[in-house]
Amino acid sequence: MAKQPQPISPLKNFFAGGFGGVCLVFVGHPLDTIKVRLQTQPKPQPGQAPLYSGTFDCFRKTLVGEGVRGLYRGMAAPIIGVTPMYAVCFFGFGLGKRLQQRKPDDVLTYPQLFAAGMLSGVFTTVIMAPGERIKCLLQIQAATGETKYSGSLDCAKQLYREAGIRGVYKGTVLTLMRDVPASGMYFMTYEWLKNSLTPEGKSVSDLSVPRILFAGGLAGIFNWVVAIPPDVLKSRFQTAPEGKYPNGFRDVLRELIREEGVTSLYKGFTAVMIRAFPANAACFLGFEVAMKCLNWIAPGV
């Protein structure tokens, strides 16, 4: 295993992660919109065609019906939340690594990196859950033809007025079920690929841009392989009318399996995978660039 950059700085991870998250949203949000619309489209009546036949049909209909702005529907919520969310995510990962080191020059094993990644998933849920709830509601309302919410802030206000803080944080458990194991896989895969792609005798901090993009993109794919089933359940649950699923994700899971089969847990798979590589490649490149700048500005922190 290639030697990891030392020392680990959770504070620098915080700022660099925020910049990486902004890069991720700008690159990945259009396909995230497609993913949510595919995951939440209503079941067609007998003899009727589904609203969207697949990823490219959804993309075409969104573009024709709403223009490019339709692909960026609901982006205000993740943009507002993404900087602190990814800052906290990378901070949690850095802290998880630091806590497992007995000495500053200890090189962590891959199971330890996985554990550090899982900690980052716990850290981000507080920010992620309400942001995801608002984003999903805004993404699907254009497809239904209704305009209940004028924007992210209006959506948050209405949710709070209708059900209090519980309404804003609806789907938190499912967000945890998605992000904790997926974040572990995400960071472990990225570190493993960085180490594997680092030439003998070189430092991972000197990795070229194409290799960082490749490692980050593949890490995003591995992340979503783990995350898609709970993400489908989360999207359904967070956009369902109040009271539809009284037993939470168990009711959502039973309904999906009963009506649409096990494959329904992988709805939006194509959109997710098309988005995962470029979005996460941009995220990790943004993180590494920001980290180098911070190391140059404050080398001792």
Side-chain angles (χ1 to χ4, degrees), residues 62-114:
T62 301
L63 201 59
V64 170
E66 303 169 55
V68 175
R69 290 183 64 183
L71 295 171
Y72 283 91
R73 190 80 60 184
M75 194 176 77
I79 280 291
I80 291 168
V82 78
T83 301
M85 183 187 71
Y86 270 84
V88 168
C89 177
F90 279 84
F91 173 82
F93 180 57
L95 181 62
K97 290 195 292 183
R98 171 76 71 82
L99 289 174
Q100 295 180 88
Q101 286 184 311
R102 295 182 178 179
K103 301 190 300 292
D105 59 347
D106 281 350
V107 177
L108 300 180
T109 64
Y110 292 120
Q112 287 176 314
L113 292 170
F114 186 86

Side-chain angles (χ1 to χ4, degrees), residues 148-149 153-165 167-168:
K148 183 178 180 181
Y149 310 111
L153 186 59
D154 180 55
C155 182
K157 286 179 179 178
Q158 289 195 46
L159 289 173
Y160 185 79
R161 189 163 53 243
E162 292 168 4
I165 197 68
V168 178

